[in-house]
Every structure is written in C-alpha cells, then in structure tokens.
Amino acid sequence: MSHPEPIAETLAPYAAHEDRSRGRRYPEPRPEFRGEYQRDRDRIIHSNAFRRLVYKTQVFVNHEGDLYRTRVTHSIEVAQIARSVARALRLDETLTEAICLAHDLGHTPFGHAGQDALNECMREHGGFEHNLQSLRVVDELEERYADFPGLNLTFECREGILKHCSARVARELGDVGERFLNHRQPSLEAQIANLADEMAYNNHDVDDGIRAGLVDLEQLREMRLFRRQYEQVTTRHPGLGGRRLIHEIIRGMINHIVVDLIRCSHARIERAAPASIEEVRAQPHPLVSLGDDTLEEHRELMRFLREHVYRHYKVLRMTTKARRVVRELFDAFMNETRLMPPEHQALAGRGEADRGIAGRARAVADYIAGMTDRYAILEHRRLFDPAERT
Ligand code: MG
C-alpha cells in the first residue's frame, strides 16, 4: 500500500470524513486553518487532564524510576501505533490520534489498582469506570471555555473515547451511548485506537517488566510472539545481548503485530465493502482485527503479563498500598466534604442538592480520579499524618 500525500484527499469512503461529522454538542464555527479533528486533538493536548498523565502510573508507581512508562508516554505510544495503521488503511489519522491521546484522561492515580479501589468505593453510587471517566473529563470536567463545559469535542472523538459501557449508563449518555443499546460498531478509527491500546501496553510492559527484573528472557521465550523475534534477532546478530537485544525484539514484535493488523483489517474491510462510516457502524462485528493466530499469540502474552508482571509480589505490594490510599481518601472526603479544597466542596454540595448522596460521592470520585500518584500520596499524608503540614 502506498502513502500518497496529502492524506485528506485519499481518505477511503468508509473513513470518518470530517465534513460529514455528527458535530459538537455545542455548535461552533468551523476552525479557520485547522480541521475539526485537529481542533479536537489540540484541545486534548492543552487540557489539564492530559498534563496530569505525566504523573500517573501505568503499572509501576511514578516514583519507582524515570524510565518506566507513565500514562502520557503510554498514550503517545498508543497514538503512534494507531496512526500508522489508520494511514495504511486510508482512515483519518488525526481523529485516530485524538482518540488515543484522550483514551486515558479519566484514569485514576495508581493505574488499575486505583481504578478498582475507586470503583469499589463507588459501588453504591453508580460505580466508577476509567473509560467512562475519560468521556466525563472531556464532556464535563475540563474548565477552559466560557460558552460550554468540557472540551466540546466532535461526536466521532467522543464515540471513540467510550469503548464500552453498561446498558444503564448507555441510556443516560444519549447519542454516544446508542451503539451499546443497538449493537452497532464505532468508526474504524475508534476500533484501531482500541486495539492499539492493548498492543502498546503488551509490548511496553514486556520492556518495563524486564527492566524492573520481574521477568527474564528465558520466561519470555515461552511466548510465541516473543520467541519468533528472539530467534530472528539472534540469528541476524549472534552474540547480541543487553538492552539492544531486548529493543530489537520488542521492535520486531510491534512491527509483526501492526503488519498483521493492517493486513487482516484490510481484507475484512474489502470483504464487507462498507460505502460509508454509517455502513461501518451497522456491521455486526468490528472490521479492525488481528488474524486468528496473531490474536491468540497476543492474548497469550497478555495472560503472561497478568500472571508474571501485574501480579508479581512487588507490584502487588505497591497496588495494595495504592488501594488503601484511595479508599482512605474517599472515606475521609465522603464523611466530611469540607476536607476538600473549596471548589470541590462546592461541587459536592451542588451534586448532593441535585442527586443526593450519589451526587456527593460523584464529586469526591471526580476529585480523587483527577489526582496524580504523587498528589494522592501527599493528600493522604496531609489528612492522616499529624506531622505533615495541611
Ligand atoms: Mg490505555
């Protein structure tokens, strides 16, 4: 496949053409020198939530070392993988990038441990789900514009951010929730962003896991995705070791899986031959997909990481501490909302007036979810350590 420039003129008919966008919640004049999806991406990059991703954990807590992925480097790696795939399939690269950069904006401090803890705290009050929170950040929580709350992104970008949700939540969300009730698909750009997320963390967590000493090459060679590249690299470069060996292997793994994704998705799109994004949405299944064999190898590596990295005792010790911090912050603020800074107190008061205790809980969850790892640790110390300044 060739990559002619400019890409806009060569977009496939089934791409998310911005002149056929379903628009923004609050109508705005068209941007003068940018496209609509460029404007979405730029708004995301300028948001507070995006800057906070620098200090939010992927797997390892932020202060454990400067080389580990954080949410921001993860998001950039996701975008980088997804853009290559989008361009090769003649889809809108900028929309794909915007979705990827926004996909983790709602993430709590301390990665999945933080999200699980907050979800547990919110069980009686509608639950907490980081994916839904990302949409909440761009729709409601960012405060940057005089005329509307949030970032007022296009429907296509919001559709891509919301990867999954329950029927109950889907009904509350209106337009962007409809596909979960009608069993329809999101745009191909959104489908790519979704898969690129898994592909990015599978590969960078191998890298981080080796660096942290949680897994070694011997164990990883049991994984087909890894072993294939290991054999190719060591054949090409006998005697190569250390970081160069690892990086050659990981680069090979990313390339292998990206090429498979492009080839397989291209074939599926050709077979289904959707004439428009609406026909993509009406498909019974996503058209962006890995081939069966590669998908199985990809899942094998995911299971391996879950077992050997995410559940490693050193990681579990950290995540147990993180869960406790989130739980104790939540309980303290729920019991006494005046312990929060004034703007969050006010939001809790308004939420409670509107929706009772669930409204108060949502304001507390929003405050905690917005925290970076180090801010959450500091807030916890300020509340619970008598020697710490408040
Ligand atoms: Mg992610």
Side-chain angles (χ1 to χ4, degrees):
M1 260 170 274
S2 60
H3 311 294
E5 297 280 349
I7 197 85
E9 285 175 18
T10 67
L11 280 189
Y14 43 78
H17 291 263
E18 66 173 38
D19 52 354
R20 275 172 262 150
S21 165
R22 289 175 60 178
R24 300 175 190 275
R25 297 209 294 170
Y26 303 88
E28 293 182 64
R30 286 185 70 90
E32 212 175 335
F33 296 108
R34 291 179 292 178
E36 297 285 4
Y37 300 139
Q38 276 181 293
R39 177 149 73 176
D40 281 355
R41 180 201 52 203
D42 299 350
R43 287 180 176 185
I44 290 158
I45 288 175
H46 287 286
S47 68
N48 283 345
F50 187 74
R51 281 197 301 287
R52 290 198 189 113
L53 295 180
V54 181
Y55 299 106
K56 291 198 185 197
T57 304
Q58 190 62 28
V59 175
F60 302 89
V61 167
N62 195 253
H63 55 70
E64 287 178 297
D66 290 347
L67 281 177
Y68 296 113
R69 266 69 174 188
T70 67
R71 290 265 157 209
V72 83
T73 52
H74 162 69
S75 299
I76 292 169
E77 289 184 34
V78 174
Q80 178 269 125
I81 288 172
R83 284 172 57 192
S84 306
V85 179
R87 181 176 275 244
L89 295 174
R90 294 168 54 221
L91 298 165
D92 194 290
E93 187 179 334
T94 310
L95 173 63
T96 310
E97 180 183 18
I99 295 169
C100 293
L101 293 179
H103 87 280
D104 269 349
L105 288 181
H107 227 294
T108 59
F110 314 125
H112 289 283
Q115 121 101 28
D116 293 347
L118 201 51
N119 188 28
E120 231 170 83
C121 296
M122 289 293 288
R123 184 160 293 156
E124 310 282 290
H125 313 294
F128 179 90
E129 213 274 288
H130 83 262
N131 180 230
L132 200 57
Q133 189 72 4
S134 296
L135 187 68
R136 194 166 154 73
V137 166
V138 301
D139 278 357
E140 306 287 342
L141 299 180
E142 280 289 324
E143 297 180 294
R144 305 195 78 82
Y145 297 90
D147 295 331
F148 44 77
L151 304 178
N152 198 31
L153 303 179
T154 59
F155 174 86
E156 289 72 16
C157 195
R158 298 170 58 237
E159 166 191 61
I161 292 171
L162 192 66
K163 293 183 203 175
H164 37 76
C165 80
S166 66
R168 179 185 61 81
V169 173
R171 272 188 287 274
E172 286 167 17
L173 286 174
D175 61 358
V176 87
E178 277 166 16
R179 81 169 194 269
F180 299 96
L181 302 170
N182 307 336
H183 306 288
R184 288 161 65 91
Q185 310 304 321
S187 69
L188 295 171
E189 286 82 352
Q191 295 179 29
I192 290 172
N194 189 11
L195 265 174
D197 185 18
E198 286 180 11
M199 287 159 60
Y201 69 65
N202 238 7
N203 285 290
H204 64 51
D205 290 349
V206 167
D207 187 27
D208 283 351
I210 294 171
R211 179 175 292 109
L214 305 184
V215 290
D216 60 32
L217 299 188
E218 288 310 308
Q219 289 171 293
L220 280 159
R221 275 164 62 191
E222 301 291 310
M223 299 298 101
R224 284 167 289 174
L225 212 49
F226 189 93
R227 182 168 62 237
R228 181 185 303 107
Q229 299 306 324
Y230 178 90
E231 284 167 1
Q232 288 181 15
V233 174
T234 50
T235 306
R236 268 200 316 272
H237 308 283
L240 186 68
R243 297 303 311 171
R244 285 186 175 189
L245 172 62
I246 292 161
H247 289 146
E248 283 286 348
I249 293 169
I250 291 173
R251 183 167 53 251
M253 291 203 306
I254 295 175
N255 191 56
H256 177 83
I257 197 164
V258 165
V259 167
D260 184 86
L261 182 65
I262 293 168
R263 290 212 174 110
C264 182
S265 304
H266 186 250
R268 288 168 68 110
I269 292 167
E270 285 217 311
R271 235 175 292 136
S276 67
I277 188 170
E278 281 312 316
E279 290 190 22
V280 167
R281 289 182 174 131
Q283 295 290 318
H285 303 289
L287 294 176
V288 172
S289 155
L290 292 166
D292 291 344
D293 293 345
T294 310
L295 183 62
E296 186 37 47
E297 293 181 3
H298 172 72
R299 290 194 174 143
E300 180 186 65
L301 185 57
M302 278 172 121
R303 287 193 295 272
F304 174 89
L305 289 169
R306 201 175 309 135
E307 186 60 31
H308 296 277
V309 176
Y310 314 144
R311 290 187 192 149
H312 192 283
Y313 82 96
K314 287 184 181 170
V315 173
L316 282 182
R317 283 181 184 187
M318 250 329 296
T319 53
T320 305
K321 270 193 276 185
R323 260 204 299 277
R324 194 175 314 134
V325 169
V326 168
R327 162 56 77 180
E328 290 178 357
L329 286 176
F330 184 86
D331 289 346
F333 295 138
M334 263 314 262
N335 288 335
E336 182 49 272
T337 56
R338 282 179 299 178
L339 293 176
M340 292 194 289
E343 65 271 28
H344 294 282
Q345 284 178 37
L347 289 168
R350 237 175 291 150
E352 193 161 353
D354 289 349
R355 287 173 294 125
I357 196 79
R360 184 206 298 188
R362 186 59 59 192
V364 170
D366 285 340
Y367 178 44
I368 294 174
M371 294 178 186
T372 61
D373 294 7
R374 58 184 189 174
Y375 184 83
I377 292 167
L378 185 61
E379 271 291 74
H380 188 265
R381 251 191 249 143
R382 286 180 189 134
L383 283 174
F384 295 100
D385 179 354
E388 185 73 31
R389 279 203 229 174
T390 55

PDB file of all heavy atoms in Angstrom, residues 302-328:
ATOM      1  N   MET A 302      -0.616 -11.382  26.856  1.00  0.00           N
ATOM      2  CA  MET A 302      -1.402 -10.662  27.868  1.00  0.00           C
ATOM      3  C   MET A 302      -1.550 -11.487  29.145  1.00  0.00           C
ATOM      4  O   MET A 302      -1.389 -10.963  30.249  1.00  0.00           O
ATOM      5  CB  MET A 302      -2.813 -10.364  27.340  1.00  0.00           C
ATOM      6  CG  MET A 302      -2.921  -9.153  26.469  1.00  0.00           C
ATOM      7  SD  MET A 302      -4.588  -9.118  25.758  1.00  0.00           S
ATOM      8  CE  MET A 302      -5.141  -7.570  26.379  1.00  0.00           C
ATOM      9  N   ARG A 303      -1.863 -12.769  28.967  1.00  0.00           N
ATOM     10  CA  ARG A 303      -2.034 -13.641  30.143  1.00  0.00           C
ATOM     11  C   ARG A 303      -0.723 -13.757  30.906  1.00  0.00           C
ATOM     12  O   ARG A 303      -0.699 -13.725  32.135  1.00  0.00           O
ATOM     13  CB  ARG A 303      -2.520 -15.041  29.697  1.00  0.00           C
ATOM     14  CG  ARG A 303      -3.961 -15.081  29.238  1.00  0.00           C
ATOM     15  CD  ARG A 303      -4.469 -16.520  29.114  1.00  0.00           C
ATOM     16  NE  ARG A 303      -3.782 -17.278  28.070  1.00  0.00           N
ATOM     17  CZ  ARG A 303      -4.171 -17.313  26.788  1.00  0.00           C
ATOM     18  NH1 ARG A 303      -5.259 -16.657  26.403  1.00  0.00           N
ATOM     19  NH2 ARG A 303      -3.504 -18.010  25.890  1.00  0.00           N
ATOM     20  N   PHE A 304       0.368 -13.868  30.152  1.00  0.00           N
ATOM     21  CA  PHE A 304       1.691 -13.976  30.763  1.00  0.00           C
ATOM     22  C   PHE A 304       1.990 -12.737  31.612  1.00  0.00           C
ATOM     23  O   PHE A 304       2.449 -12.832  32.748  1.00  0.00           O
ATOM     24  CB  PHE A 304       2.742 -14.136  29.657  1.00  0.00           C
ATOM     25  CG  PHE A 304       4.164 -14.112  30.154  1.00  0.00           C
ATOM     26  CD1 PHE A 304       4.799 -15.286  30.557  1.00  0.00           C
ATOM     27  CD2 PHE A 304       4.863 -12.913  30.229  1.00  0.00           C
ATOM     28  CE1 PHE A 304       6.112 -15.258  31.021  1.00  0.00           C
ATOM     29  CE2 PHE A 304       6.168 -12.875  30.693  1.00  0.00           C
ATOM     30  CZ  PHE A 304       6.788 -14.049  31.087  1.00  0.00           C
ATOM     31  N   LEU A 305       1.711 -11.574  31.049  1.00  0.00           N
ATOM     32  CA  LEU A 305       1.987 -10.329  31.776  1.00  0.00           C
ATOM     33  C   LEU A 305       1.121 -10.219  33.029  1.00  0.00           C
ATOM     34  O   LEU A 305       1.580  -9.769  34.073  1.00  0.00           O
ATOM     35  CB  LEU A 305       1.772  -9.116  30.869  1.00  0.00           C
ATOM     36  CG  LEU A 305       2.822  -8.929  29.778  1.00  0.00           C
ATOM     37  CD1 LEU A 305       2.373  -7.871  28.771  1.00  0.00           C
ATOM     38  CD2 LEU A 305       4.172  -8.536  30.368  1.00  0.00           C
ATOM     39  N   ARG A 306      -0.123 -10.631  32.890  1.00  0.00           N
ATOM     40  CA  ARG A 306      -1.019 -10.570  34.055  1.00  0.00           C
ATOM     41  C   ARG A 306      -0.444 -11.417  35.187  1.00  0.00           C
ATOM     42  O   ARG A 306      -0.360 -10.996  36.329  1.00  0.00           O
ATOM     43  CB  ARG A 306      -2.413 -11.059  33.657  1.00  0.00           C
ATOM     44  CG  ARG A 306      -3.490 -10.566  34.607  1.00  0.00           C
ATOM     45  CD  ARG A 306      -4.889 -10.957  34.137  1.00  0.00           C
ATOM     46  NE  ARG A 306      -5.126 -10.589  32.758  1.00  0.00           N
ATOM     47  CZ  ARG A 306      -5.696 -11.395  31.850  1.00  0.00           C
ATOM     48  NH1 ARG A 306      -6.062 -12.620  32.179  1.00  0.00           N
ATOM     49  NH2 ARG A 306      -5.894 -10.976  30.626  1.00  0.00           N
ATOM     50  N   GLU A 307      -0.007 -12.605  34.811  1.00  0.00           N
ATOM     51  CA  GLU A 307       0.491 -13.544  35.805  1.00  0.00           C
ATOM     52  C   GLU A 307       1.837 -13.112  36.391  1.00  0.00           C
ATOM     53  O   GLU A 307       2.034 -13.127  37.595  1.00  0.00           O
ATOM     54  CB  GLU A 307       0.624 -14.922  35.117  1.00  0.00           C
ATOM     55  CG  GLU A 307       0.982 -16.066  36.017  1.00  0.00           C
ATOM     56  CD  GLU A 307      -0.039 -16.285  37.107  1.00  0.00           C
ATOM     57  OE1 GLU A 307      -1.247 -16.008  36.870  1.00  0.00           O
ATOM     58  OE2 GLU A 307       0.371 -16.695  38.216  1.00  0.00           O
ATOM     59  N   HIS A 308       2.760 -12.707  35.524  1.00  0.00           N
ATOM     60  CA  HIS A 308       4.147 -12.532  35.963  1.00  0.00           C
ATOM     61  C   HIS A 308       4.530 -11.087  36.258  1.00  0.00           C
ATOM     62  O   HIS A 308       5.513 -10.847  36.939  1.00  0.00           O
ATOM     63  CB  HIS A 308       5.109 -13.108  34.918  1.00  0.00           C
ATOM     64  CG  HIS A 308       4.958 -14.587  34.765  1.00  0.00           C
ATOM     65  ND1 HIS A 308       5.567 -15.495  35.599  1.00  0.00           N
ATOM     66  CD2 HIS A 308       4.219 -15.314  33.883  1.00  0.00           C
ATOM     67  CE1 HIS A 308       5.235 -16.717  35.238  1.00  0.00           C
ATOM     68  NE2 HIS A 308       4.414 -16.636  34.200  1.00  0.00           N
ATOM     69  N   VAL A 309       3.802 -10.134  35.711  1.00  0.00           N
ATOM     70  CA  VAL A 309       4.143  -8.730  35.980  1.00  0.00           C
ATOM     71  C   VAL A 309       3.092  -8.088  36.884  1.00  0.00           C
ATOM     72  O   VAL A 309       3.393  -7.684  38.000  1.00  0.00           O
ATOM     73  CB  VAL A 309       4.326  -7.927  34.670  1.00  0.00           C
ATOM     74  CG1 VAL A 309       4.572  -6.448  34.971  1.00  0.00           C
ATOM     75  CG2 VAL A 309       5.494  -8.494  33.865  1.00  0.00           C
ATOM     76  N   TYR A 310       1.835  -8.047  36.401  1.00  0.00           N
ATOM     77  CA  TYR A 310       0.820  -7.319  37.175  1.00  0.00           C
ATOM     78  C   TYR A 310       0.539  -7.981  38.527  1.00  0.00           C
ATOM     79  O   TYR A 310       0.100  -7.312  39.456  1.00  0.00           O
ATOM     80  CB  TYR A 310      -0.493  -7.166  36.383  1.00  0.00           C
ATOM     81  CG  TYR A 310      -0.297  -6.724  34.944  1.00  0.00           C
ATOM     82  CD1 TYR A 310      -1.110  -7.196  33.922  1.00  0.00           C
ATOM     83  CD2 TYR A 310       0.704  -5.821  34.602  1.00  0.00           C
ATOM     84  CE1 TYR A 310      -0.930  -6.798  32.606  1.00  0.00           C
ATOM     85  CE2 TYR A 310       0.892  -5.431  33.283  1.00  0.00           C
ATOM     86  CZ  TYR A 310       0.079  -5.924  32.293  1.00  0.00           C
ATOM     87  OH  TYR A 310       0.267  -5.536  30.989  1.00  0.00           O
ATOM     88  N   ARG A 311       0.787  -9.296  38.613  1.00  0.00           N
ATOM     89  CA  ARG A 311       0.542  -9.970  39.894  1.00  0.00           C
ATOM     90  C   ARG A 311       1.840 -10.366  40.588  1.00  0.00           C
ATOM     91  O   ARG A 311       1.841 -11.199  41.494  1.00  0.00           O
ATOM     92  CB  ARG A 311      -0.339 -11.205  39.689  1.00  0.00           C
ATOM     93  CG  ARG A 311      -1.750 -10.810  39.327  1.00  0.00           C
ATOM     94  CD  ARG A 311      -2.674 -12.007  39.282  1.00  0.00           C
ATOM     95  NE  ARG A 311      -3.945 -11.653  38.659  1.00  0.00           N
ATOM     96  CZ  ARG A 311      -4.689 -12.497  37.951  1.00  0.00           C
ATOM     97  NH1 ARG A 311      -4.295 -13.743  37.775  1.00  0.00           N
ATOM     98  NH2 ARG A 311      -5.826 -12.104  37.426  1.00  0.00           N
ATOM     99  N   HIS A 312       2.937  -9.822  40.150  1.00  0.00           N
ATOM    100  CA  HIS A 312       4.204 -10.063  40.828  1.00  0.00           C
ATOM    101  C   HIS A 312       4.122  -9.502  42.243  1.00  0.00           C
ATOM    102  O   HIS A 312       3.517  -8.449  42.453  1.00  0.00           O
ATOM    103  CB  HIS A 312       5.332  -9.372  40.052  1.00  0.00           C
ATOM    104  CG  HIS A 312       6.700  -9.786  40.500  1.00  0.00           C
ATOM    105  ND1 HIS A 312       7.280  -9.311  41.650  1.00  0.00           N
ATOM    106  CD2 HIS A 312       7.610 -10.623  39.940  1.00  0.00           C
ATOM    107  CE1 HIS A 312       8.490  -9.841  41.780  1.00  0.00           C
ATOM    108  NE2 HIS A 312       8.701 -10.645  40.763  1.00  0.00           N
ATOM    109  N   TYR A 313       4.729 -10.174  43.216  1.00  0.00           N
ATOM    110  CA  TYR A 313       4.518  -9.722  44.600  1.00  0.00           C
ATOM    111  C   TYR A 313       4.980  -8.287  44.829  1.00  0.00           C
ATOM    112  O   TYR A 313       4.392  -7.546  45.601  1.00  0.00           O
ATOM    113  CB  TYR A 313       5.160 -10.688  45.608  1.00  0.00           C
ATOM    114  CG  TYR A 313       6.645 -10.486  45.840  1.00  0.00           C
ATOM    115  CD1 TYR A 313       7.101  -9.719  46.907  1.00  0.00           C
ATOM    116  CD2 TYR A 313       7.578 -11.063  44.991  1.00  0.00           C
ATOM    117  CE1 TYR A 313       8.465  -9.536  47.122  1.00  0.00           C
ATOM    118  CE2 TYR A 313       8.937 -10.884  45.198  1.00  0.00           C
ATOM    119  CZ  TYR A 313       9.373 -10.112  46.258  1.00  0.00           C
ATOM    120  OH  TYR A 313      10.708  -9.925  46.465  1.00  0.00           O
ATOM    121  N   LYS A 314       6.018  -7.868  44.102  1.00  0.00           N
ATOM    122  CA  LYS A 314       6.484  -6.486  44.296  1.00  0.00           C
ATOM    123  C   LYS A 314       5.466  -5.476  43.775  1.00  0.00           C
ATOM    124  O   LYS A 314       5.289  -4.402  44.344  1.00  0.00           O
ATOM    125  CB  LYS A 314       7.821  -6.270  43.556  1.00  0.00           C
ATOM    126  CG  LYS A 314       8.974  -6.964  44.237  1.00  0.00           C
ATOM    127  CD  LYS A 314      10.274  -6.636  43.525  1.00  0.00           C
ATOM    128  CE  LYS A 314      11.439  -7.338  44.177  1.00  0.00           C
ATOM    129  NZ  LYS A 314      12.653  -7.206  43.352  1.00  0.00           N
ATOM    130  N   VAL A 315       4.809  -5.837  42.662  1.00  0.00           N
ATOM    131  CA  VAL A 315       3.765  -4.955  42.125  1.00  0.00           C
ATOM    132  C   VAL A 315       2.539  -4.999  43.039  1.00  0.00           C
ATOM    133  O   VAL A 315       1.925  -3.969  43.334  1.00  0.00           O
ATOM    134  CB  VAL A 315       3.411  -5.355  40.670  1.00  0.00           C
ATOM    135  CG1 VAL A 315       2.220  -4.556  40.157  1.00  0.00           C
ATOM    136  CG2 VAL A 315       4.615  -5.135  39.753  1.00  0.00           C
ATOM    137  N   LEU A 316       2.210  -6.204  43.531  1.00  0.00           N
ATOM    138  CA  LEU A 316       1.045  -6.339  44.417  1.00  0.00           C
ATOM    139  C   LEU A 316       1.205  -5.543  45.708  1.00  0.00           C
ATOM    140  O   LEU A 316       0.243  -4.972  46.218  1.00  0.00           O
ATOM    141  CB  LEU A 316       0.793  -7.814  44.747  1.00  0.00           C
ATOM    142  CG  LEU A 316       0.103  -8.622  43.655  1.00  0.00           C
ATOM    143  CD1 LEU A 316      -0.131 -10.059  44.124  1.00  0.00           C
ATOM    144  CD2 LEU A 316      -1.225  -8.005  43.227  1.00  0.00           C
ATOM    145  N   ARG A 317       2.434  -5.495  46.229  1.00  0.00           N
ATOM    146  CA  ARG A 317       2.650  -4.696  47.443  1.00  0.00           C
ATOM    147  C   ARG A 317       2.313  -3.234  47.181  1.00  0.00           C
ATOM    148  O   ARG A 317       1.678  -2.575  47.992  1.00  0.00           O
ATOM    149  CB  ARG A 317       4.121  -4.784  47.877  1.00  0.00           C
ATOM    150  CG  ARG A 317       4.443  -6.080  48.559  1.00  0.00           C
ATOM    151  CD  ARG A 317       5.884  -6.081  48.974  1.00  0.00           C
ATOM    152  NE  ARG A 317       6.216  -7.375  49.552  1.00  0.00           N
ATOM    153  CZ  ARG A 317       7.379  -7.646  50.127  1.00  0.00           C
ATOM    154  NH1 ARG A 317       8.324  -6.724  50.182  1.00  0.00           N
ATOM    155  NH2 ARG A 317       7.600  -8.836  50.640  1.00  0.00           N
ATOM    156  N   MET A 318       2.778  -2.749  46.039  1.00  0.00           N
ATOM    157  CA  MET A 318       2.511  -1.363  45.673  1.00  0.00           C
ATOM    158  C   MET A 318       1.024  -1.125  45.476  1.00  0.00           C
ATOM    159  O   MET A 318       0.459  -0.150  45.960  1.00  0.00           O
ATOM    160  CB  MET A 318       3.206  -1.041  44.347  1.00  0.00           C
ATOM    161  CG  MET A 318       4.369  -0.113  44.377  1.00  0.00           C
ATOM    162  SD  MET A 318       4.304   1.134  45.635  1.00  0.00           S
ATOM    163  CE  MET A 318       2.860   2.027  45.092  1.00  0.00           C
ATOM    164  N   THR A 319       0.379  -2.055  44.729  1.00  0.00           N
ATOM    165  CA  THR A 319      -1.028  -1.822  44.407  1.00  0.00           C
ATOM    166  C   THR A 319      -1.911  -1.943  45.662  1.00  0.00           C
ATOM    167  O   THR A 319      -2.934  -1.291  45.763  1.00  0.00           O
ATOM    168  CB  THR A 319      -1.525  -2.779  43.303  1.00  0.00           C
ATOM    169  OG1 THR A 319      -1.243  -4.114  43.675  1.00  0.00           O
ATOM    170  CG2 THR A 319      -0.853  -2.489  41.985  1.00  0.00           C
ATOM    171  N   THR A 320      -1.465  -2.769  46.620  1.00  0.00           N
ATOM    172  CA  THR A 320      -2.226  -2.875  47.863  1.00  0.00           C
ATOM    173  C   THR A 320      -2.172  -1.552  48.629  1.00  0.00           C
ATOM    174  O   THR A 320      -3.177  -1.063  49.130  1.00  0.00           O
ATOM    175  CB  THR A 320      -1.669  -4.023  48.736  1.00  0.00           C
ATOM    176  OG1 THR A 320      -1.696  -5.203  47.934  1.00  0.00           O
ATOM    177  CG2 THR A 320      -2.497  -4.241  49.977  1.00  0.00           C
ATOM    178  N   LYS A 321      -0.976  -0.968  48.663  1.00  0.00           N
ATOM    179  CA  LYS A 321      -0.839   0.339  49.313  1.00  0.00           C
ATOM    180  C   LYS A 321      -1.696   1.379  48.603  1.00  0.00           C
ATOM    181  O   LYS A 321      -2.354   2.194  49.224  1.00  0.00           O
ATOM    182  CB  LYS A 321       0.631   0.806  49.252  1.00  0.00           C
ATOM    183  CG  LYS A 321       1.451   0.359  50.439  1.00  0.00           C
ATOM    184  CD  LYS A 321       2.771   1.106  50.481  1.00  0.00           C
ATOM    185  CE  LYS A 321       3.807   0.445  49.589  1.00  0.00           C
ATOM    186  NZ  LYS A 321       5.133   1.050  49.684  1.00  0.00           N
ATOM    187  N   ALA A 322      -1.652   1.320  47.271  1.00  0.00           N
ATOM    188  CA  ALA A 322      -2.381   2.313  46.474  1.00  0.00           C
ATOM    189  C   ALA A 322      -3.877   2.217  46.730  1.00  0.00           C
ATOM    190  O   ALA A 322      -4.563   3.229  46.868  1.00  0.00           O
ATOM    191  CB  ALA A 322      -2.089   2.091  44.989  1.00  0.00           C
ATOM    192  N   ARG A 323      -4.371   0.979  46.802  1.00  0.00           N
ATOM    193  CA  ARG A 323      -5.804   0.782  47.064  1.00  0.00           C
ATOM    194  C   ARG A 323      -6.185   1.381  48.411  1.00  0.00           C
ATOM    195  O   ARG A 323      -7.232   2.013  48.551  1.00  0.00           O
ATOM    196  CB  ARG A 323      -6.147  -0.712  47.042  1.00  0.00           C
ATOM    197  CG  ARG A 323      -6.760  -1.156  45.731  1.00  0.00           C
ATOM    198  CD  ARG A 323      -7.602  -2.395  45.884  1.00  0.00           C
ATOM    199  NE  ARG A 323      -6.811  -3.516  46.370  1.00  0.00           N
ATOM    200  CZ  ARG A 323      -6.075  -4.296  45.576  1.00  0.00           C
ATOM    201  NH1 ARG A 323      -6.046  -4.089  44.278  1.00  0.00           N
ATOM    202  NH2 ARG A 323      -5.381  -5.287  46.078  1.00  0.00           N
ATOM    203  N   ARG A 324      -5.305   1.186  49.403  1.00  0.00           N
ATOM    204  CA  ARG A 324      -5.597   1.706  50.735  1.00  0.00           C
ATOM    205  C   ARG A 324      -5.647   3.242  50.707  1.00  0.00           C
ATOM    206  O   ARG A 324      -6.511   3.856  51.311  1.00  0.00           O
ATOM    207  CB  ARG A 324      -4.546   1.217  51.739  1.00  0.00           C
ATOM    208  CG  ARG A 324      -4.975   1.446  53.180  1.00  0.00           C
ATOM    209  CD  ARG A 324      -3.982   0.860  54.177  1.00  0.00           C
ATOM    210  NE  ARG A 324      -3.576  -0.488  53.803  1.00  0.00           N
ATOM    211  CZ  ARG A 324      -2.311  -0.918  53.815  1.00  0.00           C
ATOM    212  NH1 ARG A 324      -1.328  -0.103  54.159  1.00  0.00           N
ATOM    213  NH2 ARG A 324      -2.023  -2.158  53.489  1.00  0.00           N
ATOM    214  N   VAL A 325      -4.718   3.853  49.992  1.00  0.00           N
ATOM    215  CA  VAL A 325      -4.688   5.320  49.908  1.00  0.00           C
ATOM    216  C   VAL A 325      -6.003   5.833  49.303  1.00  0.00           C
ATOM    217  O   VAL A 325      -6.642   6.740  49.846  1.00  0.00           O
ATOM    218  CB  VAL A 325      -3.480   5.803  49.065  1.00  0.00           C
ATOM    219  CG1 VAL A 325      -3.596   7.291  48.746  1.00  0.00           C
ATOM    220  CG2 VAL A 325      -2.180   5.520  49.813  1.00  0.00           C
ATOM    221  N   VAL A 326      -6.429   5.228  48.211  1.00  0.00           N
ATOM    222  CA  VAL A 326      -7.655   5.670  47.536  1.00  0.00           C
ATOM    223  C   VAL A 326      -8.865   5.481  48.452  1.00  0.00           C
ATOM    224  O   VAL A 326      -9.690   6.382  48.615  1.00  0.00           O
ATOM    225  CB  VAL A 326      -7.841   4.940  46.193  1.00  0.00           C
ATOM    226  CG1 VAL A 326      -9.239   5.169  45.625  1.00  0.00           C
ATOM    227  CG2 VAL A 326      -6.785   5.389  45.191  1.00  0.00           C
ATOM    228  N   ARG A 327      -8.955   4.334  49.068  1.00  0.00           N
ATOM    229  CA  ARG A 327     -10.083   4.028  49.956  1.00  0.00           C
ATOM    230  C   ARG A 327     -10.142   5.029  51.129  1.00  0.00           C
ATOM    231  O   ARG A 327     -11.189   5.568  51.462  1.00  0.00           O
ATOM    232  CB  ARG A 327      -9.952   2.575  50.443  1.00  0.00           C
ATOM    233  CG  ARG A 327     -10.741   2.189  51.662  1.00  0.00           C
ATOM    234  CD  ARG A 327     -12.224   2.447  51.539  1.00  0.00           C
ATOM    235  NE  ARG A 327     -12.920   1.464  50.726  1.00  0.00           N
ATOM    236  CZ  ARG A 327     -14.243   1.504  50.496  1.00  0.00           C
ATOM    237  NH1 ARG A 327     -14.982   2.477  51.004  1.00  0.00           N
ATOM    238  NH2 ARG A 327     -14.809   0.595  49.749  1.00  0.00           N
ATOM    239  N   GLU A 328      -8.989   5.291  51.724  1.00  0.00           N
ATOM    240  CA  GLU A 328      -8.995   6.172  52.900  1.00  0.00           C
ATOM    241  C   GLU A 328      -9.293   7.624  52.514  1.00  0.00           C
ATOM    242  O   GLU A 328      -9.975   8.340  53.252  1.00  0.00           O
ATOM    243  CB  GLU A 328      -7.667   6.050  53.657  1.00  0.00           C
ATOM    244  CG  GLU A 328      -7.572   4.689  54.338  1.00  0.00           C
ATOM    245  CD  GLU A 328      -6.266   4.432  55.081  1.00  0.00           C
ATOM    246  OE1 GLU A 328      -5.360   5.291  55.051  1.00  0.00           O
ATOM    247  OE2 GLU A 328      -6.165   3.353  55.690  1.00  0.00           O
TER     248      GLU A 328
END
